Amino acid sequence: GGVKTPINNQEMEITKKEETLLLTISNCSYRDEQGYSEFCNDDVKTKSRAGILSSLIKKGLVFDSYMNNDGSKSIINGSELSMYVITENGIDSLQNAGHKVESFI
């Protein structure tokens, strides 16, 4: 099983795969420059990983900082671009799972 994490006062379970991907995204997310990460759509090569990422976004643990306000994707040079960044809830989730991850500055 995964780790139960209280988010918005409700218990949310994250699976081991979600935890692993969240940790990867956490390690790519800059703490001093909120909204910047080195984890981009090039890092989501498999359908399996895309599914896990989608779940993390739905749970509010990760967000696409390139997403437009209307919910559409950013298009640069004809390609959709995404930059995935951990959220405070995502950091809390990893800390609750026993990982030593830094919070945002």
Side-chain angles (χ1 to χ4, degrees):
V3 176
K4 282 195 171 41
T5 305
I7 292 175
N8 304 333
N9 298 326
Q10 68 190 73
E11 289 282 320
M12 180 180 300
E13 197 153 320
I14 63 170
T15 66
K16 206 71 192 148
K17 284 181 177 174
E18 286 173 337
E19 187 181 326
T20 302
L21 185 57
L22 191 56
L23 201 52
T24 301
I25 294 171
S26 173
N27 292 335
C28 293
S29 298
Y30 284 49
R31 294 303 191 264
D32 54 350
E33 197 178 333
Q34 227 167 342
Y36 188 80
S37 169
E38 292 176 2
F39 193 94
C40 298
N41 43 329
D42 288 351
D43 297 295
V44 191
K45 293 195 175 17
T46 62
K47 281 198 166 120
S48 156
R49 194 171 227 194
I52 297 165
L53 181 63
S54 167
S55 175
L56 289 172
I57 291 169
K58 282 193 190 95
K59 291 178 178 181
L61 305 179
V62 171
F63 73 100
D64 178 356
S65 73
Y66 278 4
M67 184 75 73
N68 296 316
N69 290 338
D70 64 2
S72 64
K73 298 243 182 209
S74 292
I75 310 260
I76 298 172
N77 297 333
S79 301
E80 282 188 356
L81 274 194
S82 297
M83 178 187 287
Y84 299 103
V85 185
I86 195 164
T87 64
E88 291 284 356
N89 283 343
I91 290 171
D92 290 346
S93 185
L94 286 175
Q95 288 171 341
N96 291 340
H99 296 285
K100 293 197 179 333
V101 290
E102 282 182 58
S103 298
F104 288 108
I105 295 169

